[in-house]
Amino acid sequence: MLKRKLSVISAALFCTACSVEIQTDDHDKQEPHDYPDQVETTAEKIFPVGLAASSPFIDEIDTQTDTSAASAQRPLGTVPHYIWATRRIARVLNGMTPLRDDFMVEAFYRRGHNANCFGPEIAYQGHVDATSSDMEDGTLPSGDVGIWLTSADNGQACSVAQTNSLLRGVQSQSRMALMTLASMVSTAIAEGESLPADEESLDLTVAMDNLGLSDINFTSAVISRADDAWVYSVEFAYQVDGHDYDIWLEMNHMPGSDISIYDGNLSYLVEGEVGVAGIEFQGGNCALDERSLAGSLSYSRDGSDIALQARTATLCGHDVSNAYNADGLVDVDNLYDSVSNPDGWSENFAIFGANFSQQTIEGEYTYVWQAGAHDSHSRIITVGLNDPDLANGEAHYGYGDTIDNTDGWIKGFICNWAGPNNDHTLQPYTQRQHIDYDESTGLYDGTAHRANIAYAPTNSCDYDGLASFVFDIDASGALGDIADESADLAYANDLWASSDTTLSVPEALQARGIDVPEIPFGWPADE
């Protein structure tokens, strides 16, 4: 059994002046299909309403509720994924949708990935940085060359497609965790249970197990209250091929003076295994097939403004320790070492930071990730949206400090990450893509004349045309199939750089109006 219980987060971290009185008289105890307004208010006072982590660019068809929150830019009948997710969570919270109707355990195992335009494998011949003949020809591995094509296969601007692809994991994991925890409130009310008073708890293990979720056995489900903070804790076993894999969820929630003001932190830990279909957490650093996904979502809402910090990491083994820091965030300092820390995070640590308007989704979004615990730099994509309709914006991709010391800012670019004699010295560049929403296609346009993404995968980012270097510019899998793929042609980079060379890359980005979001608990550089 997982034993990853977190201490209740101190109210001093949140709203110390707030107190919530919960009415649990008999008239509040209704069946899920018959919720009066008072019960909805009761549930929403003690649970984060309007909370979800999502890409600002994903639309969803919303058949359950009206689409009044849809932007004028959205296709008819759709809403942003954020709105879609928060409505689905709210329907479970208020007893309108039984958890079994929306529960998908596979959501906890969904992971982010690269879009097909981002980091394709790139073949090369005669590499100019090679120091021996056996290094001259080869293939750059997937994921390392950044925004290589302007658009994904479906026509979506690559920066948008990559943001959507990276966030699919944390979107699904956090939504399903919030739905599961929200169902504890509706289940308690449906069972006629009084919600706990201060320093009390309510055990709902039997009631949750009686929901009848397929292949799921609840071993613990408790709501407790301490210092006006509400703590929701769930543990269940997911049976796959006769074996149990434990999933643990815990949320510490501090309500404010009304349902649109709150702070808190959600943590979850999911056991998986390489070689078992559907529950694999891939990566090449951990020598064990058993892996654990650790996640956290820290949140702060003040009216329509929401700030989020979501973290995910793959840890080596099961029954892991030290996965979370004192604030309940996945611990970025818990680095894997096969000898000294064998159950630390061994691959794929990611941090998603967002600060946006709950009403328009406009705001700042930054995603930082690092493939291995001992990589030299993190990779960062940051997006700025220019107007409330999300009609256009600008995205930048590059490299920053290691993820245990990142402040969210891109610090430069590395053109030869994994090629012969590679040099990870940061160049004063980023890959930049301007994006425009096209109402006729429902996609963001990021065509070549509005993008600065091209470079040669060399240490200098350029090729002078004086040697025998050829690389797969169009990512077709064949060398020399287009005129530009010729060793006789010079190839100068078209990366973005500030015209003011006195500015650092973060300063230059700020001068363009790009900001890294301020997030709960700050970036790891602040820890």
Side-chain angles (χ1 to χ4, degrees):
M1 301 294 291
L2 295 176
K3 297 187 183 300
R4 302 288 162 255
K5 307 305 181 189
L6 299 174
S7 59
V8 176
I9 297 178
S10 168
L13 293 174
F14 305 122
C15 180
T16 56
C18 300
S19 178
V20 179
E21 292 297 326
I22 304 300
Q23 302 297 322
T24 56
D25 295 334
D26 288 342
H27 67 273
D28 282 341
K29 300 170 184 175
Q30 305 288 334
E31 293 297 321
H33 63 274
D34 187 24
Y35 260 62
D37 291 341
Q38 177 60 43
V39 175
E40 291 187 23
T41 302
T42 298
E44 292 170 351
K45 280 184 177 180
I46 65 172
F47 198 88
V49 178
L51 174 64
S54 67
S55 168
F57 304 119
I58 295 179
D59 297 328
E60 302 284 357
I61 296 173
D62 192 339
T63 59
Q64 292 183 329
T65 51
D66 71 88
T67 57
S68 59
S71 157
Q73 299 289 332
R74 302 279 173 177
L76 185 65
T78 69
V79 294
H81 181 97
Y82 165 81
I83 299 295
W84 175 86
T86 57
R87 286 175 172 172
R88 291 172 75 88
I89 296 165
R91 290 176 69 85
V92 173
L93 174 67
N94 291 323
M96 301 169 69
T97 301
L99 179 62
R100 63 178 175 272
D101 286 2
D102 276 348
F103 185 81
M104 297 182 296
V105 70
E106 57 267 28
F108 290 108
Y109 295 93
R110 193 166 295 155
R111 302 305 310 273
H113 57 85
N114 290 324
N116 51 46
C117 56
F118 184 97
E121 292 184 350
I122 298 298
Y124 61 86
Q125 291 179 355
H127 201 292
V128 294
D129 294 318
T131 56
S132 63
S133 59
D134 62 339
M135 299 169 60
E136 290 181 351
D137 304 339
T139 301
L140 301 175
S142 63
D144 289 344
V145 296
I147 302 173
W148 196 251
L149 303 173
T150 55
S151 303
D153 287 348
N154 66 352
Q156 188 81 274
C158 190
S159 56
V160 172
Q162 178 68 354
T163 301
N164 292 347
S165 294
L166 290 171
L167 283 168
R168 290 196 183 277
V170 72
Q171 282 179 174
S172 296
Q173 296 154 16
S174 59
R175 184 182 75 249
M176 200 51 53
L178 287 166
M179 279 187 176
T180 304
L181 297 175
S183 72
M184 297 173 70
V185 179
S186 56
T187 297
I189 295 173
E191 292 286 318
E193 298 284 357
S194 296
L195 295 167
D198 195 28
E199 306 301 332
E200 292 184 354
S201 63
L202 172 63
D203 192 326
L204 293 165
T205 307
V206 173
M208 292 294 289
D209 206 41
N210 286 340
L211 295 179
L213 304 183
S214 179
D215 300 318
I216 299 297
N217 175 38
F218 282 86
T219 54
S220 179
V222 177
I223 301 176
S224 58
R225 188 177 173 196
D227 295 328
D228 293 323
W230 290 82
V231 182
Y232 302 84
S233 184
V234 164
E235 188 174 337
F236 56 86
Y238 173 38
Q239 189 169 84
V240 182
D241 297 334
H243 298 280
D244 284 346
Y245 295 88
D246 289 337
I247 298 177
W248 167 82
L249 318 170
E250 184 167 292
M251 183 171 68
N252 293 262
H253 177 67
M254 175 58 71
S257 56
D258 63 54
I259 64 172
S260 68
I261 299 174
Y262 54 71
D263 301 270
N265 184 74
L266 164 69
S267 302
Y268 51 94
L269 194 62
V270 182
E271 290 184 347
E273 186 169 353
V274 176
V276 180
I279 64 169
E280 295 187 284
F281 298 130
Q282 298 288 356
N285 298 311
C286 174
L288 302 176
D289 288 337
E290 292 184 343
R291 311 282 174 87
S292 296
L293 172 73
S296 61
L297 174 63
S298 303
Y299 56 87
S300 179
R301 180 178 177 185
D302 186 359
S304 64
D305 296 325
I306 294 185
L308 305 176
Q309 177 179 184
R311 297 185 179 189
T312 57
T314 299
L315 282 68
C316 193
H318 290 171
D319 196 28
V320 297
S321 58
N322 304 315
Y324 303 94
N325 65 20
D327 294 318
L329 286 68
V330 181
D331 192 352
V332 74
D333 294 319
N334 181 35
L335 275 71
Y336 168 81
D337 185 279
S338 59
V339 176
S340 62
N341 195 31
D343 62 352
W345 73 266
S346 53
E347 30 252 317
N348 302 320
F349 200 114
I351 301 175
F352 170 54
N355 198 325
F356 61 97
S357 166
Q358 182 264 352
Q359 295 178 335
T360 66
I361 322 299
E362 179 190 18
E364 292 125 22
Y365 299 83
T366 294
Y367 192 95
V368 183
W369 74 103
Q370 189 169 309
H374 302 294
D375 277 5
S376 64
H377 296 81
S378 62
R379 304 163 193 229
I380 303 173
I381 190 165
T382 189
V383 180
L385 297 168
N386 293 332
D387 57 63
D389 281 339
L390 313 184
N392 57 74
E394 186 168 293
H396 288 257
Y397 169 74
Y399 295 83
D401 298 323
T402 54
I403 202 160
D404 57 328
N405 196 42
T406 185
D407 57 6
W409 283 104
I410 297 170
K411 302 295 176 67
F413 200 77
I414 298 170
C415 294
N416 184 13
W417 176 269
N421 195 33
N422 56 80
D423 184 353
H424 286 193
T425 301
L426 292 174
Q427 306 275 7
Y429 304 129
T430 73
Q431 288 185 310
R432 168 196 168 272
Q433 186 169 40
H434 183 88
I435 54 175
D436 281 304
Y437 187 77
D438 185 339
E439 292 186 57
S440 66
T441 63
L443 301 172
Y444 281 87
D445 177 48
T447 52
H449 72 284
R450 310 205 65 179
N452 304 105
I453 63 173
Y455 68 95
T458 65
N459 289 334
S460 68
C461 304
D462 302 317
Y463 170 57
D464 59 14
L466 300 179
S468 58
F469 184 41
V470 180
F471 61 98
D472 194 1
I473 294 172
D474 61 349
S476 67
L479 292 174
D481 61 331
I482 60 173
D484 287 342
E485 292 176 2
S486 169
D488 296 330
L489 297 177
Y491 196 91
N493 82 77
D494 186 34
L495 299 170
W496 178 82
S498 173
S499 59
D500 185 348
T501 58
T502 66
L503 299 178
S504 67
V505 171
E507 290 170 340
L509 290 172
Q510 282 186 305
R512 289 191 65 81
I514 300 294
D515 283 313
V516 167
E518 295 184 8
I519 56 178
F521 298 107
W523 294 91
D526 300 323
E527 293 180 4

